[in-house]
Amino acid sequence: MSGSTDLLVFGAAVSVLLAAHAVRAIRHSLLFAKEDLPERFALLVALSVSYALNALLPFRVGEVVRAVFIAARLRLRLPYVLATVVAERFSDLPAVALISLGLVAAGAGGSSALLRPAALLTGAALVIAGGSALVRRAESVRQFLWRGASVFNDSIRISIAEFIWTASNLLASGPLFSGRFLAATIVMWSLYLSSYWLFAKALGATLAQVSLLLLGAPLRPLLGELLAGGVSRTSLALVLFTSVPVVVVLLYGFVRQRREIQKSLAFVRRFGLVRPETSHTPIARRFRNSEDYAALMAAHFTATRKIVSAFAGEGMEDVIVHRILPGGSDAVTAVVETGGKLSIRKLATADAGRRLSVQVSWLRENASSLPLAQVLSEEWHGERFHYDMPYVLSARDFYDVIHTSPIESSKQMLQAIVEEMAMFHQRHRRADATDLVVDEYLERKVRANAADVLIFARGLVQQEYTINGDIYRFDEWDCLSDLGWLREQVQSRTVSAIHGDLTIENIIASPRHEKRWYLIDPNPINIFDSPLIDWAKLMQSLNLGYETMNRGSAPVFNGSDLRLVLARSNAYAQLHDHLCTLLCAQMGQEVMREIAFHELVNYLRLLPYRLRHSPGQGLTFFACTSLLLRRYREAGARA
């Protein structure tokens, strides 16, 4: 072949190689969400930067710089972009392995040397795919990775978790296996192989030889690999072949996007990579509060509050989470935006989801009897259930009202609630509970829970322990395992429809509502539907400051000494006294003692959950239960 012909073929090879790079940039763009779809030429420039660095530096350092360039240039979160780069490069592993095996099978000259890279690439693909599957499915693996990332500060730790989780999701499903991505992969590698074939033809070499030089050592710098055997016509031609498309793109990119690149560099110098308020990912974009997004990542990688991660699951793609509201159950409540409208969404999975669906039924059934939250919509999505309530801008929970308004207005509101609930109980009264029902209530809600609590507590404190300097003993809890003693405490067998979770945080003050308040989050699944449980729930809030403890920290724990800050505010103390006056006038002192027993039961019911999900906070409620038990017995428990 003449020199001029060789030059033309070489030019064609370089042109086809540049086209292949362009298709790779297009293919990379398919891994981004529609809202994040970057300018493809910016991706091509980033790809060229990575090729230039990979030619000089080992271990594919250019790919990291490629991600940094895209993140800075397009205002995207670095962990997210890095995950797309990893997924895009991962898809090359099986493709290159198949190409290598195809060349070997075709018997191309020098192709047997491609067997080793093919085996290594296949093994790497299997290891990465297996690791991705473990991250998605094995809780223990995620917890191990989370603990390993704890050597860094919280911001870096969350970024590592985001990268791992996003990459594993991309590798397991989604656009990586879409028809468009597969078609782009076929076109891209067809162009690469065509350019290699044209270059080999111009050089007088074989396709296998060129492929081995370009693909056979992916972790070593390309320039070092080409020049390892000394400077030769072939090595210089290969350097020129691989460099020309990169130089062309970089020069054109610098001229075309000089101002944009300068702005990006200034942004990085000022804010770093990348300020959370201006960054986006398909998941992070849906969380307006950075702390809620951090909670989402923590939920993926720890055993605590995993329900939060459901807000990033299937079927939630159109939901923007503005704020996750405080709460301590197996469900999670948040202010969300769907279709441009705000609402309150409550969400749970599995058994908790089924309990939530019962809650919805109760709200609908009693909407004409009580001021209750309106249910706008409800939906099952696999094992996940959620329902939406209106978001009322002027509405506030009663806790906020109590601590920001004159106490007299809170007393009036509390009195109105007590009167309304008393009438509701009276209208829906049913046949008294049987001994069998009461025994089941005492067995499951008192004896079983007390046994679980003591197993936990005995692993932390001695038989004799102190709370704020006062001595307590585990044998004080013995009465809670005595079914005969427990039966004596329950004299009222009255049964009615009850709210079941009438704490202060489940009362919403709303000037726009007819009654100026309404109730949310009932718990209609009770063994024994005694109206006293509703009054005991109000006592649970006001007596020791339940809502403040939910928002507070764990007690100081030194050996067997618990130092507990009792969190009840002065406003709560006044409302507690007012509630006692209202209920005592309505039902008498004997019934007040029984309400105190149900308040103790309420703490026993919530303790196992607290201990499982937040042991530190569980200690707070263990100390509170110890206090309540002693006070109840000292006040004159029956028998």
Side-chain angles (χ1 to χ4, degrees):
M1 189 180 294
S2 66
S4 60
T5 303
D6 288 346
L7 190 60
L8 287 173
V9 174
F10 178 82
V14 170
S15 300
V16 175
L17 182 62
L18 178 58
H21 290 341
V23 175
R24 180 182 287 280
I26 293 171
R27 187 183 72 155
H28 186 198
S29 72
L30 300 177
L31 297 179
F32 291 85
K34 289 188 295 184
E35 299 86 351
D36 298 327
L37 190 61
E39 181 191 0
R40 292 186 172 98
F41 185 73
L43 295 182
L44 181 58
V45 173
L47 180 66
S48 299
V49 169
S50 74
Y51 278 135
L53 290 174
N54 287 338
L56 301 172
L57 302 173
F59 304 115
R60 313 294 291 186
V61 171
E63 305 303 337
V64 177
V65 177
R66 173 187 175 191
V68 171
F69 181 93
I70 296 169
R73 173 71 184 81
L74 303 173
R75 305 293 195 272
L76 299 172
R77 287 181 65 86
L78 178 59
Y80 168 51
V81 178
L82 190 58
T84 66
V85 171
V86 168
E88 193 266 332
R89 283 300 187 181
F90 167 81
S91 67
D92 288 339
L93 297 181
V96 174
L98 286 173
I99 290 169
S100 301
L101 291 174
L103 290 171
V104 172
S111 62
S112 59
L114 289 168
L115 279 175
R116 186 170 178 272
L120 290 174
L121 291 171
T122 302
L126 292 174
V127 168
I128 294 172
S132 172
L134 284 174
V135 167
R136 286 174 55 83
R137 299 178 184 177
E139 183 177 292
S140 59
V141 171
R142 294 196 298 274
Q143 290 178 16
F144 173 78
L145 293 170
W146 183 257
R147 287 193 296 271
S150 64
V151 299
F152 302 101
N153 63 41
D154 287 344
S155 177
I156 296 176
R157 189 186 201 188
I158 293 297
S159 295
I160 291 172
E162 179 184 356
F163 162 70
I164 293 172
W165 186 253
T166 306
S168 65
N169 280 325
L170 285 171
L171 295 178
S173 59
L176 198 66
F177 298 96
S178 68
R180 294 173 65 197
F181 191 89
L182 292 174
T185 299
I186 293 171
V187 171
M188 181 190 79
W189 280 109
S190 297
L191 289 171
Y192 275 128
L193 288 174
S194 298
S195 69
Y196 297 169
W197 178 77
L198 287 169
F199 176 74
K201 189 174 181 181
L203 200 62
T206 66
L207 176 60
Q209 290 170 334
V210 172
S211 299
L212 181 62
L213 282 171
L214 295 174
L215 305 176
L219 298 181
R220 292 201 291 270
L222 179 62
L223 193 59
E225 185 71 15
L226 295 179
L227 300 178
V231 177
S232 65
R233 175 176 175 270
T234 300
S235 61
L236 288 175
L238 275 168
V239 169
L240 194 62
F241 169 64
T242 55
S243 300
V244 169
V246 171
V247 171
V248 168
V249 172
L250 290 178
L251 288 175
Y252 180 68
F254 181 77
V255 172
R256 175 181 167 182
Q257 298 190 332
R258 182 177 69 257
R259 291 182 180 178
E260 289 82 359
I261 292 172
Q262 288 172 345
K263 289 179 182 178
S264 299
L265 291 173
F267 180 90
V268 171
R269 283 194 296 270
R270 184 173 180 184
F271 297 115
L273 279 167
V274 172
R275 189 173 57 172
E277 296 88 328
T278 59
S279 61
H280 302 279
T281 74
I283 296 176
R285 182 191 302 103
R286 302 210 301 271
F287 286 79
R288 289 290 185 254
N289 187 314
S290 59
E291 291 182 1
D292 291 339
Y293 181 63
L296 169 73
M297 286 295 106
H300 281 315
F301 284 83
T302 67
T304 59
R305 206 73 173 124
K306 290 183 290 184
I307 182 61
V308 174
S309 64
F311 273 103
E314 188 179 357
M316 290 285 177
E317 293 83 0
D318 62 338
V319 176
I320 296 173
V321 181
H322 285 264
R323 184 161 60 99
I324 295 178
L325 302 174
S329 68
D330 289 320
V332 63
T333 308
V335 179
V336 303
E337 180 182 342
T338 52
K341 295 182 179 180
L342 292 176
S343 61
I344 304 292
R345 174 162 295 185
K346 193 163 186 182
L347 180 151
T349 59
D351 289 340
R354 285 180 274 278
R355 290 194 296 271
L356 215 58
S357 68
V358 175
Q359 186 178 101
V360 168
S361 298
W362 193 93
L363 288 170
R364 293 190 189 280
E365 289 169 7
N366 294 286
S368 60
S369 301
L370 271 179
L372 297 174
Q374 179 187 0
V375 177
L376 298 176
S377 62
E378 58 187 282
E379 183 180 350
W380 278 101
H381 202 290
E383 279 287 285
R384 190 182 68 230
F385 177 81
H386 74 259
Y387 72 92
D388 291 350
M389 299 172 282
Y391 175 76
V392 182
L393 187 61
S394 59
R396 294 188 295 160
D397 70 52
F398 196 19
Y399 177 89
D400 288 338
V401 172
I402 289 169
H403 294 96
T404 58
S405 303
I407 192 63
E408 288 304 318
S409 63
S410 296
K411 286 182 178 179
Q412 291 172 10
M413 183 170 163
L414 180 63
Q415 183 170 341
I417 292 165
V418 169
E419 291 172 354
E420 190 79 36
M421 288 303 304
M423 289 188 292
F424 177 77
H425 292 155
Q426 187 62 38
R427 284 195 303 268
H428 294 83
R429 182 167 177 171
R430 302 194 291 264
D432 287 358
T434 63
D435 290 345
L436 189 63
V437 168
V438 173
D439 280 357
E440 185 181 0
Y441 172 75
L442 296 174
E443 184 64 42
R444 291 174 55 184
K445 302 303 181 183
V446 182
R447 297 181 72 194
N449 286 332
D452 285 347
V453 170
L454 289 177
I455 290 171
F456 170 85
R458 285 190 171 117
L460 293 176
V461 298
Q462 302 299 318
Q463 174 67 25
E464 188 175 278
Y465 56 98
T466 65
I467 300 175
N468 295 345
D470 294 329
I471 298 173
Y472 289 77
R473 296 178 179 84
F474 280 125
D475 56 20
E476 294 180 49
W477 289 63
D478 289 348
C479 60
L480 299 179
S481 62
D482 182 349
L483 188 57
W485 182 86
L486 293 172
R487 285 169 176 163
E488 288 295 325
Q489 312 314 307
V490 182
Q491 298 296 311
S492 174
R493 304 300 176 93
T494 301
V495 172
S496 179
I498 64 173
H499 180 278
D501 197 12
L502 193 62
T503 56
I504 292 298
E505 64 186 353
N506 286 335
I507 300 169
I508 305 298
S510 176
R512 293 174 54 185
H513 197 281
E514 179 186 359
K515 298 284 185 177
R516 304 188 70 80
W517 58 270
Y518 61 89
L519 306 179
I520 62 171
D521 295 356
N523 177 26
I525 304 176
N526 292 281
I527 298 167
F528 175 31
D529 288 329
S530 168
L532 302 187
I533 291 176
D534 278 344
W535 309 132
K537 280 289 183 176
L538 283 173
M539 289 291 186
Q540 174 187 315
S541 281
L542 298 173
N543 193 3
L544 296 180
Y546 169 75
E547 282 74 23
T548 308
M549 283 189 291
N550 269 341
R551 292 162 168 79
S553 58
V556 176
F557 181 46
N558 182 17
S560 289
D561 182 34
L562 289 165
R563 293 289 174 179
L564 176 67
V565 178
L566 294 175
R568 186 173 73 161
S569 64
N570 181 58
Y572 259 38
Q574 292 187 58
L575 286 179
H576 177 258
D577 292 343
H578 187 57
L579 178 62
C580 289
T581 300
L582 291 172
L583 295 179
C584 190
Q586 204 174 87
M587 289 173 283
Q589 191 60 44
E590 287 297 311
V591 177
M592 290 298 296
R593 183 159 53 245
E594 197 160 331
I595 290 172
F597 174 75
H598 287 291
E599 180 188 357
L600 177 62
V601 176
N602 287 341
Y603 271 86
L604 288 170
R605 292 171 69 170
L606 64 87
L607 252 175
Y609 175 87
R610 299 289 182 179
L611 296 175
R612 286 196 308 270
H613 293 84
S614 180
Q617 196 178 59
L619 272 177
T620 297
F621 287 99
F622 168 74
C624 290
T625 308
S626 296
L627 289 172
L628 288 174
L629 177 58
R630 175 169 291 185
R631 290 180 185 179
Y632 177 72
R633 297 184 69 186
E634 289 177 347
R638 296 183 180 90

